[in-house]
mmCIF file of all heavy atoms in Angstrom:
data_model
loop_
_atom_site.group_PDB
_atom_site.id
_atom_site.type_symbol
_atom_site.label_atom_id
_atom_site.label_comp_id
_atom_site.label_asym_id
_atom_site.label_seq_id
_atom_site.Cartn_x
_atom_site.Cartn_y
_atom_site.Cartn_z
ATOM 1 N N ASP A 1 31.630 -5.916 4.575
ATOM 2 C CA ASP A 1 30.471 -6.807 4.632
ATOM 3 C C ASP A 1 30.896 -8.211 5.037
ATOM 4 O O ASP A 1 30.236 -8.859 5.873
ATOM 5 C CB ASP A 1 29.779 -6.860 3.270
ATOM 6 C CG ASP A 1 29.249 -5.513 2.829
ATOM 7 O OD1 ASP A 1 28.187 -5.112 3.323
ATOM 8 O OD2 ASP A 1 29.914 -4.866 1.999
ATOM 9 N N MET A 2 31.987 -8.696 4.457
ATOM 10 C CA MET A 2 32.452 -10.049 4.757
ATOM 11 C C MET A 2 32.922 -10.184 6.195
ATOM 12 O O MET A 2 32.837 -11.276 6.787
ATOM 13 C CB MET A 2 33.586 -10.424 3.797
ATOM 14 C CG MET A 2 33.207 -10.417 2.340
ATOM 15 S SD MET A 2 34.637 -10.782 1.297
ATOM 16 C CE MET A 2 34.348 -9.661 -0.064
ATOM 17 N N ALA A 3 33.427 -9.114 6.764
ATOM 18 C CA ALA A 3 33.893 -9.160 8.150
ATOM 19 C C ALA A 3 32.734 -9.130 9.133
ATOM 20 O O ALA A 3 32.756 -9.820 10.167
ATOM 21 C CB ALA A 3 34.833 -7.982 8.422
ATOM 22 N N ILE A 4 31.713 -8.353 8.839
ATOM 23 C CA ILE A 4 30.609 -8.158 9.776
ATOM 24 C C ILE A 4 29.593 -9.291 9.717
ATOM 25 O O ILE A 4 29.069 -9.721 10.754
ATOM 26 C CB ILE A 4 29.936 -6.794 9.505
ATOM 27 C CG1 ILE A 4 30.920 -5.656 9.822
ATOM 28 C CG2 ILE A 4 28.660 -6.620 10.313
ATOM 29 C CD1 ILE A 4 30.483 -4.294 9.328
ATOM 30 N N TRP A 5 29.319 -9.795 8.532
ATOM 31 C CA TRP A 5 28.249 -10.785 8.374
ATOM 32 C C TRP A 5 28.419 -12.032 9.235
ATOM 33 O O TRP A 5 27.433 -12.489 9.847
ATOM 34 C CB TRP A 5 28.110 -11.174 6.899
ATOM 35 C CG TRP A 5 26.978 -12.116 6.646
ATOM 36 C CD1 TRP A 5 25.651 -11.792 6.518
ATOM 37 C CD2 TRP A 5 27.058 -13.533 6.517
ATOM 38 N NE1 TRP A 5 24.909 -12.928 6.310
ATOM 39 C CE2 TRP A 5 25.748 -14.014 6.308
ATOM 40 C CE3 TRP A 5 28.108 -14.452 6.556
ATOM 41 C CZ2 TRP A 5 25.470 -15.371 6.138
ATOM 42 C CZ3 TRP A 5 27.834 -15.804 6.393
ATOM 43 C CH2 TRP A 5 26.525 -16.252 6.184
ATOM 44 N N PRO A 6 29.618 -12.646 9.325
ATOM 45 C CA PRO A 6 29.718 -13.872 10.129
ATOM 46 C C PRO A 6 29.338 -13.696 11.592
ATOM 47 O O PRO A 6 28.870 -14.643 12.226
ATOM 48 C CB PRO A 6 31.198 -14.257 9.982
ATOM 49 C CG PRO A 6 31.612 -13.670 8.677
ATOM 50 C CD PRO A 6 30.882 -12.359 8.623
ATOM 51 N N TRP A 7 29.537 -12.506 12.134
ATOM 52 C CA TRP A 7 29.101 -12.225 13.498
ATOM 53 C C TRP A 7 27.621 -11.888 13.540
ATOM 54 O O TRP A 7 26.881 -12.360 14.407
ATOM 55 C CB TRP A 7 29.929 -11.086 14.091
ATOM 56 C CG TRP A 7 31.310 -11.496 14.470
ATOM 57 C CD1 TRP A 7 32.463 -11.282 13.762
ATOM 58 C CD2 TRP A 7 31.690 -12.212 15.646
ATOM 59 N NE1 TRP A 7 33.529 -11.822 14.421
ATOM 60 C CE2 TRP A 7 33.091 -12.398 15.584
ATOM 61 C CE3 TRP A 7 30.996 -12.727 16.741
ATOM 62 C CZ2 TRP A 7 33.805 -13.066 16.577
ATOM 63 C CZ3 TRP A 7 31.703 -13.401 17.732
ATOM 64 C CH2 TRP A 7 33.084 -13.568 17.636
ATOM 65 N N ALA A 8 27.165 -11.072 12.586
ATOM 66 C CA ALA A 8 25.772 -10.629 12.605
ATOM 67 C C ALA A 8 24.804 -11.769 12.343
ATOM 68 O O ALA A 8 23.662 -11.740 12.834
ATOM 69 C CB ALA A 8 25.575 -9.513 11.574
ATOM 70 N N LYS A 9 25.221 -12.788 11.590
ATOM 71 C CA LYS A 9 24.336 -13.908 11.308
ATOM 72 C C LYS A 9 23.975 -14.693 12.561
ATOM 73 O O LYS A 9 23.032 -15.482 12.564
ATOM 74 C CB LYS A 9 24.967 -14.844 10.269
ATOM 75 C CG LYS A 9 26.133 -15.670 10.795
ATOM 76 C CD LYS A 9 26.698 -16.612 9.743
ATOM 77 C CE LYS A 9 25.805 -17.798 9.483
ATOM 78 N NZ LYS A 9 25.723 -18.746 10.637
ATOM 79 N N LEU A 10 24.724 -14.496 13.631
ATOM 80 C CA LEU A 10 24.488 -15.208 14.886
ATOM 81 C C LEU A 10 23.633 -14.395 15.853
ATOM 82 O O LEU A 10 23.681 -14.610 17.065
ATOM 83 C CB LEU A 10 25.833 -15.562 15.533
ATOM 84 C CG LEU A 10 26.758 -16.441 14.677
ATOM 85 C CD1 LEU A 10 28.097 -16.639 15.382
ATOM 86 C CD2 LEU A 10 26.110 -17.783 14.368
ATOM 87 N N TRP A 11 22.840 -13.484 15.341
ATOM 88 C CA TRP A 11 22.044 -12.579 16.165
ATOM 89 C C TRP A 11 21.159 -13.322 17.163
ATOM 90 O O TRP A 11 20.969 -12.862 18.291
ATOM 91 C CB TRP A 11 21.170 -11.698 15.259
ATOM 92 C CG TRP A 11 20.280 -12.482 14.347
ATOM 93 C CD1 TRP A 11 20.568 -12.915 13.082
ATOM 94 C CD2 TRP A 11 18.948 -12.953 14.631
ATOM 95 N NE1 TRP A 11 19.521 -13.609 12.556
ATOM 96 C CE2 TRP A 11 18.510 -13.653 13.481
ATOM 97 C CE3 TRP A 11 18.093 -12.842 15.716
ATOM 98 C CZ2 TRP A 11 17.253 -14.256 13.395
ATOM 99 C CZ3 TRP A 11 16.832 -13.433 15.646
ATOM 100 C CH2 TRP A 11 16.435 -14.121 14.506
ATOM 101 N N GLU A 12 20.652 -14.480 16.782
ATOM 102 C CA GLU A 12 19.747 -15.204 17.681
ATOM 103 C C GLU A 12 20.482 -15.682 18.929
ATOM 104 O O GLU A 12 19.971 -15.564 20.050
ATOM 105 C CB GLU A 12 19.112 -16.384 16.946
ATOM 106 C CG GLU A 12 17.971 -17.026 17.700
ATOM 107 C CD GLU A 12 17.205 -18.023 16.849
ATOM 108 O OE1 GLU A 12 17.680 -18.362 15.742
ATOM 109 O OE2 GLU A 12 16.136 -18.466 17.299
ATOM 110 N N ASN A 13 21.694 -16.212 18.734
ATOM 111 C CA ASN A 13 22.499 -16.647 19.877
ATOM 112 C C ASN A 13 22.905 -15.481 20.766
ATOM 113 O O ASN A 13 23.295 -15.682 21.927
ATOM 114 C CB ASN A 13 23.742 -17.384 19.404
ATOM 115 C CG ASN A 13 23.436 -18.776 18.903
ATOM 116 O OD1 ASN A 13 22.355 -19.298 19.152
ATOM 117 N ND2 ASN A 13 24.375 -19.373 18.194
ATOM 118 N N GLN A 14 22.852 -14.271 20.219
ATOM 119 C CA GLN A 14 23.212 -13.072 20.974
ATOM 120 C C GLN A 14 21.994 -12.437 21.649
ATOM 121 O O GLN A 14 22.081 -11.331 22.188
ATOM 122 C CB GLN A 14 23.894 -12.074 20.031
ATOM 123 C CG GLN A 14 25.184 -12.608 19.431
ATOM 124 C CD GLN A 14 25.535 -11.965 18.110
ATOM 125 O OE1 GLN A 14 24.933 -10.974 17.695
ATOM 126 N NE2 GLN A 14 26.513 -12.530 17.424
ATOM 127 N N GLY A 15 20.866 -13.142 21.618
ATOM 128 C CA GLY A 15 19.674 -12.675 22.319
ATOM 129 C C GLY A 15 19.006 -11.477 21.691
ATOM 130 O O GLY A 15 18.378 -10.676 22.387
ATOM 131 N N GLN A 16 19.092 -11.351 20.358
ATOM 132 C CA GLN A 16 18.557 -10.177 19.680
ATOM 133 C C GLN A 16 17.223 -10.475 18.991
ATOM 134 O O GLN A 16 16.932 -11.619 18.632
ATOM 135 C CB GLN A 16 19.568 -9.663 18.653
ATOM 136 C CG GLN A 16 20.920 -9.332 19.246
ATOM 137 C CD GLN A 16 20.847 -8.307 20.360
ATOM 138 O OE1 GLN A 16 20.180 -7.282 20.212
ATOM 139 N NE2 GLN A 16 21.548 -8.552 21.460
ATOM 140 N N ASP A 17 16.442 -9.445 18.797
ATOM 141 C CA ASP A 17 15.176 -9.502 18.076
ATOM 142 C C ASP A 17 15.390 -8.862 16.712
ATOM 143 O O ASP A 17 15.474 -7.635 16.594
ATOM 144 C CB ASP A 17 14.095 -8.761 18.868
ATOM 145 C CG ASP A 17 12.742 -8.761 18.163
ATOM 146 O OD1 ASP A 17 12.642 -9.303 17.036
ATOM 147 O OD2 ASP A 17 11.787 -8.191 18.728
ATOM 148 N N LEU A 18 15.494 -9.692 15.680
ATOM 149 C CA LEU A 18 15.841 -9.184 14.351
ATOM 150 C C LEU A 18 14.757 -8.286 13.777
ATOM 151 O O LEU A 18 15.046 -7.455 12.902
ATOM 152 C CB LEU A 18 16.132 -10.356 13.411
ATOM 153 C CG LEU A 18 16.869 -10.025 12.114
ATOM 154 C CD1 LEU A 18 18.219 -9.381 12.394
ATOM 155 C CD2 LEU A 18 17.053 -11.289 11.272
ATOM 156 N N SER A 19 13.534 -8.419 14.242
ATOM 157 C CA SER A 19 12.457 -7.571 13.722
ATOM 158 C C SER A 19 12.699 -6.093 14.029
ATOM 159 O O SER A 19 12.118 -5.213 13.375
ATOM 160 C CB SER A 19 11.110 -8.009 14.302
ATOM 161 O OG SER A 19 11.038 -7.759 15.697
ATOM 162 N N LYS A 20 13.548 -5.809 14.987
ATOM 163 C CA LYS A 20 13.887 -4.428 15.316
ATOM 164 C C LYS A 20 14.892 -3.830 14.332
ATOM 165 O O LYS A 20 15.119 -2.619 14.346
ATOM 166 C CB LYS A 20 14.453 -4.350 16.735
ATOM 167 C CG LYS A 20 13.463 -4.730 17.820
ATOM 168 C CD LYS A 20 14.104 -4.624 19.193
ATOM 169 C CE LYS A 20 13.116 -4.986 20.293
ATOM 170 N NZ LYS A 20 13.736 -4.913 21.648
ATOM 171 N N PHE A 21 15.478 -4.673 13.493
ATOM 172 C CA PHE A 21 16.541 -4.230 12.588
ATOM 173 C C PHE A 21 16.221 -4.672 11.161
ATOM 174 O O PHE A 21 16.893 -5.540 10.592
ATOM 175 C CB PHE A 21 17.885 -4.815 13.047
ATOM 176 C CG PHE A 21 18.173 -4.638 14.508
ATOM 177 C CD1 PHE A 21 18.234 -5.737 15.368
ATOM 178 C CD2 PHE A 21 18.391 -3.375 15.041
ATOM 179 C CE1 PHE A 21 18.502 -5.577 16.717
ATOM 180 C CE2 PHE A 21 18.662 -3.199 16.389
ATOM 181 C CZ PHE A 21 18.714 -4.304 17.234
ATOM 182 N N PRO A 22 15.206 -4.086 10.525
ATOM 183 C CA PRO A 22 14.761 -4.560 9.208
ATOM 184 C C PRO A 22 15.804 -4.395 8.103
ATOM 185 O O PRO A 22 15.877 -5.224 7.191
ATOM 186 C CB PRO A 22 13.515 -3.710 8.941
ATOM 187 C CG PRO A 22 13.694 -2.489 9.799
ATOM 188 C CD PRO A 22 14.392 -2.962 11.025
ATOM 189 N N HIS A 23 16.578 -3.329 8.163
ATOM 190 C CA HIS A 23 17.594 -3.117 7.120
ATOM 191 C C HIS A 23 18.734 -4.124 7.271
ATOM 192 O O HIS A 23 19.253 -4.639 6.280
ATOM 193 C CB HIS A 23 18.120 -1.684 7.192
ATOM 194 C CG HIS A 23 17.031 -0.654 7.163
ATOM 195 N ND1 HIS A 23 16.194 -0.496 6.082
ATOM 196 C CD2 HIS A 23 16.625 0.248 8.099
ATOM 197 C CE1 HIS A 23 15.314 0.463 6.343
ATOM 198 N NE2 HIS A 23 15.561 0.929 7.562
ATOM 199 N N MET A 24 19.101 -4.409 8.493
ATOM 200 C CA MET A 24 20.090 -5.451 8.761
ATOM 201 C C MET A 24 19.566 -6.808 8.296
ATOM 202 O O MET A 24 20.310 -7.599 7.707
ATOM 203 C CB MET A 24 20.410 -5.477 10.257
ATOM 204 C CG MET A 24 21.303 -6.612 10.687
ATOM 205 S SD MET A 24 21.592 -6.544 12.483
ATOM 206 C CE MET A 24 22.136 -8.231 12.784
ATOM 207 N N GLN A 25 18.295 -7.081 8.542
ATOM 208 C CA GLN A 25 17.704 -8.354 8.122
ATOM 209 C C GLN A 25 17.768 -8.508 6.605
ATOM 210 O O GLN A 25 18.140 -9.575 6.096
ATOM 211 C CB GLN A 25 16.256 -8.447 8.592
ATOM 212 C CG GLN A 25 15.587 -9.774 8.232
ATOM 213 C CD GLN A 25 14.197 -9.891 8.817
ATOM 214 O OE1 GLN A 25 13.637 -8.925 9.312
ATOM 215 N NE2 GLN A 25 13.627 -11.079 8.767
ATOM 216 N N ARG A 26 17.419 -7.453 5.869
ATOM 217 C CA ARG A 26 17.510 -7.502 4.404
ATOM 218 C C ARG A 26 18.925 -7.799 3.957
ATOM 219 O O ARG A 26 19.164 -8.646 3.093
ATOM 220 C CB ARG A 26 17.025 -6.154 3.843
ATOM 221 C CG ARG A 26 16.996 -6.060 2.319
ATOM 222 C CD ARG A 26 18.280 -5.527 1.729
ATOM 223 N NE ARG A 26 18.703 -4.278 2.335
ATOM 224 C CZ ARG A 26 19.933 -3.786 2.232
ATOM 225 N NH1 ARG A 26 20.882 -4.457 1.587
ATOM 226 N NH2 ARG A 26 20.253 -2.648 2.805
ATOM 227 N N TRP A 27 19.885 -7.140 4.579
ATOM 228 C CA TRP A 27 21.300 -7.324 4.224
ATOM 229 C C TRP A 27 21.777 -8.730 4.577
ATOM 230 O O TRP A 27 22.509 -9.353 3.797
ATOM 231 C CB TRP A 27 22.120 -6.251 4.938
ATOM 232 C CG TRP A 27 23.594 -6.429 4.888
ATOM 233 C CD1 TRP A 27 24.437 -6.104 3.860
ATOM 234 C CD2 TRP A 27 24.432 -6.938 5.925
ATOM 235 N NE1 TRP A 27 25.740 -6.382 4.191
ATOM 236 C CE2 TRP A 27 25.751 -6.895 5.456
ATOM 237 C CE3 TRP A 27 24.183 -7.419 7.215
ATOM 238 C CZ2 TRP A 27 26.832 -7.333 6.235
ATOM 239 C CZ3 TRP A 27 25.241 -7.850 7.994
ATOM 240 C CH2 TRP A 27 26.552 -7.806 7.497
ATOM 241 N N LEU A 28 21.395 -9.251 5.734
ATOM 242 C CA LEU A 28 21.766 -10.612 6.121
ATOM 243 C C LEU A 28 21.302 -11.619 5.077
ATOM 244 O O LEU A 28 22.053 -12.521 4.684
ATOM 245 C CB LEU A 28 21.160 -10.963 7.482
ATOM 246 C CG LEU A 28 21.795 -10.355 8.726
ATOM 247 C CD1 LEU A 28 20.926 -10.640 9.945
ATOM 248 C CD2 LEU A 28 23.205 -10.891 8.945
ATOM 249 N N GLU A 29 20.068 -11.464 4.626
ATOM 250 C CA GLU A 29 19.517 -12.388 3.629
ATOM 251 C C GLU A 29 20.227 -12.234 2.290
ATOM 252 O O GLU A 29 20.496 -13.227 1.596
ATOM 253 C CB GLU A 29 18.020 -12.133 3.485
ATOM 254 C CG GLU A 29 17.229 -12.485 4.732
ATOM 255 C CD GLU A 29 15.787 -12.014 4.682
ATOM 256 O OE1 GLU A 29 15.433 -11.308 3.702
ATOM 257 O OE2 GLU A 29 15.018 -12.328 5.609
ATOM 258 N N GLN A 30 20.539 -11.008 1.929
ATOM 259 C CA GLN A 30 21.242 -10.757 0.668
ATOM 260 C C GLN A 30 22.635 -11.377 0.690
ATOM 261 O O GLN A 30 23.074 -11.991 -0.290
ATOM 262 C CB GLN A 30 21.328 -9.247 0.447
ATOM 263 C CG GLN A 30 21.866 -8.829 -0.901
ATOM 264 C CD GLN A 30 21.751 -7.327 -1.095
ATOM 265 O OE1 GLN A 30 21.117 -6.624 -0.304
ATOM 266 N NE2 GLN A 30 22.362 -6.825 -2.145
ATOM 267 N N MET A 31 23.331 -11.225 1.813
ATOM 268 C CA MET A 31 24.659 -11.815 1.949
ATOM 269 C C MET A 31 24.586 -13.340 1.898
ATOM 270 O O MET A 31 25.406 -13.994 1.234
ATOM 271 C CB MET A 31 25.285 -11.369 3.268
ATOM 272 C CG MET A 31 25.712 -9.921 3.315
ATOM 273 S SD MET A 31 27.177 -9.588 2.290
ATOM 274 C CE MET A 31 28.420 -10.565 3.137
ATOM 275 N N ALA A 32 23.618 -13.910 2.598
ATOM 276 C CA ALA A 32 23.501 -15.365 2.685
ATOM 277 C C ALA A 32 23.203 -16.010 1.336
ATOM 278 O O ALA A 32 23.423 -17.218 1.161
ATOM 279 C CB ALA A 32 22.422 -15.745 3.693
ATOM 280 N N ALA A 33 22.717 -15.218 0.384
ATOM 281 C CA ALA A 33 22.394 -15.740 -0.945
ATOM 282 C C ALA A 33 23.587 -15.731 -1.894
ATOM 283 O O ALA A 33 23.492 -16.295 -2.996
ATOM 284 C CB ALA A 33 21.253 -14.925 -1.556
ATOM 285 N N ARG A 34 24.693 -15.141 -1.495
ATOM 286 C CA ARG A 34 25.866 -15.085 -2.368
ATOM 287 C C ARG A 34 26.540 -16.462 -2.399
ATOM 288 O O ARG A 34 26.852 -17.028 -1.342
ATOM 289 C CB ARG A 34 26.855 -14.029 -1.893
ATOM 290 C CG ARG A 34 26.336 -12.603 -1.992
ATOM 291 C CD ARG A 34 27.418 -11.608 -1.580
ATOM 292 N NE ARG A 34 28.539 -11.590 -2.518
ATOM 293 C CZ ARG A 34 28.611 -10.814 -3.598
ATOM 294 N NH1 ARG A 34 27.602 -9.970 -3.891
ATOM 295 N NH2 ARG A 34 29.652 -10.857 -4.392
ATOM 296 N N PRO A 35 26.803 -17.016 -3.589
ATOM 297 C CA PRO A 35 27.415 -18.347 -3.663
ATOM 298 C C PRO A 35 28.746 -18.458 -2.922
ATOM 299 O O PRO A 35 29.012 -19.478 -2.268
ATOM 300 C CB PRO A 35 27.598 -18.562 -5.177
ATOM 301 C CG PRO A 35 26.528 -17.727 -5.801
ATOM 302 C CD PRO A 35 26.415 -16.515 -4.924
ATOM 303 N N ALA A 36 29.585 -17.440 -3.005
ATOM 304 C CA ALA A 36 30.883 -17.502 -2.336
ATOM 305 C C ALA A 36 30.728 -17.481 -0.818
ATOM 306 O O ALA A 36 31.510 -18.103 -0.094
ATOM 307 C CB ALA A 36 31.777 -16.348 -2.792
ATOM 308 N N VAL A 37 29.727 -16.776 -0.333
ATOM 309 C CA VAL A 37 29.461 -16.761 1.103
ATOM 310 C C VAL A 37 29.026 -18.150 1.554
ATOM 311 O O VAL A 37 29.474 -18.655 2.597
ATOM 312 C CB VAL A 37 28.407 -15.700 1.456
ATOM 313 C CG1 VAL A 37 27.971 -15.819 2.911
ATOM 314 C CG2 VAL A 37 28.964 -14.300 1.188
ATOM 315 N N VAL A 38 28.168 -18.781 0.783
ATOM 316 C CA VAL A 38 27.721 -20.137 1.096
ATOM 317 C C VAL A 38 28.907 -21.094 1.135
ATOM 318 O O VAL A 38 29.048 -21.907 2.061
ATOM 319 C CB VAL A 38 26.675 -20.610 0.069
ATOM 320 C CG1 VAL A 38 26.309 -22.070 0.299
ATOM 321 C CG2 VAL A 38 25.428 -19.732 0.135
ATOM 322 N N LYS A 39 29.794 -20.997 0.159
ATOM 323 C CA LYS A 39 30.960 -21.879 0.098
ATOM 324 C C LYS A 39 31.924 -21.612 1.254
ATOM 325 O O LYS A 39 32.454 -22.542 1.855
ATOM 326 C CB LYS A 39 31.686 -21.697 -1.240
ATOM 327 C CG LYS A 39 30.930 -22.237 -2.439
ATOM 328 C CD LYS A 39 31.721 -22.013 -3.724
ATOM 329 C CE LYS A 39 30.978 -22.535 -4.940
ATOM 330 N NZ LYS A 39 31.739 -22.289 -6.204
ATOM 331 N N GLY A 40 32.149 -20.341 1.544
ATOM 332 C CA GLY A 40 33.058 -20.003 2.635
ATOM 333 C C GLY A 40 32.542 -20.472 3.980
ATOM 334 O O GLY A 40 33.301 -20.949 4.826
ATOM 335 N N LEU A 41 31.239 -20.372 4.175
ATOM 336 C CA LEU A 41 30.625 -20.799 5.424
ATOM 337 C C LEU A 41 30.679 -22.313 5.584
ATOM 338 O O LEU A 41 30.696 -22.827 6.715
ATOM 339 C CB LEU A 41 29.177 -20.311 5.468
ATOM 340 C CG LEU A 41 28.419 -20.476 6.778
ATOM 341 C CD1 LEU A 41 29.046 -19.630 7.877
ATOM 342 C CD2 LEU A 41 26.954 -20.095 6.591
ATOM 343 N N ALA A 42 30.725 -23.029 4.481
ATOM 344 C CA ALA A 42 30.714 -24.496 4.519
ATOM 345 C C ALA A 42 32.074 -25.100 4.819
ATOM 346 O O ALA A 42 32.166 -26.306 5.089
ATOM 347 C CB ALA A 42 30.192 -25.043 3.189
ATOM 348 N N VAL A 43 33.133 -24.301 4.797
ATOM 349 C CA VAL A 43 34.477 -24.841 5.049
ATOM 350 C C VAL A 43 34.548 -25.347 6.498
ATOM 351 O O VAL A 43 34.306 -24.603 7.439
ATOM 352 C CB VAL A 43 35.555 -23.775 4.797
ATOM 353 C CG1 VAL A 43 36.936 -24.316 5.170
ATOM 354 C CG2 VAL A 43 35.534 -23.323 3.342
ATOM 355 N N GLY A 44 34.856 -26.617 6.642
ATOM 356 C CA GLY A 44 34.948 -27.193 7.979
ATOM 357 C C GLY A 44 33.615 -27.419 8.648
ATOM 358 O O GLY A 44 33.546 -27.581 9.872
#
């Protein structure tokens, strides 16, 4: 999950329509709510 999420969170820049991937969307939001994910993303 930690390896895939940083790439998948950039779906908009990759020209994707997230509405086509509802399960991925749920998972993206769930990952983004994790405190450690928030802290790791904030580095730099």
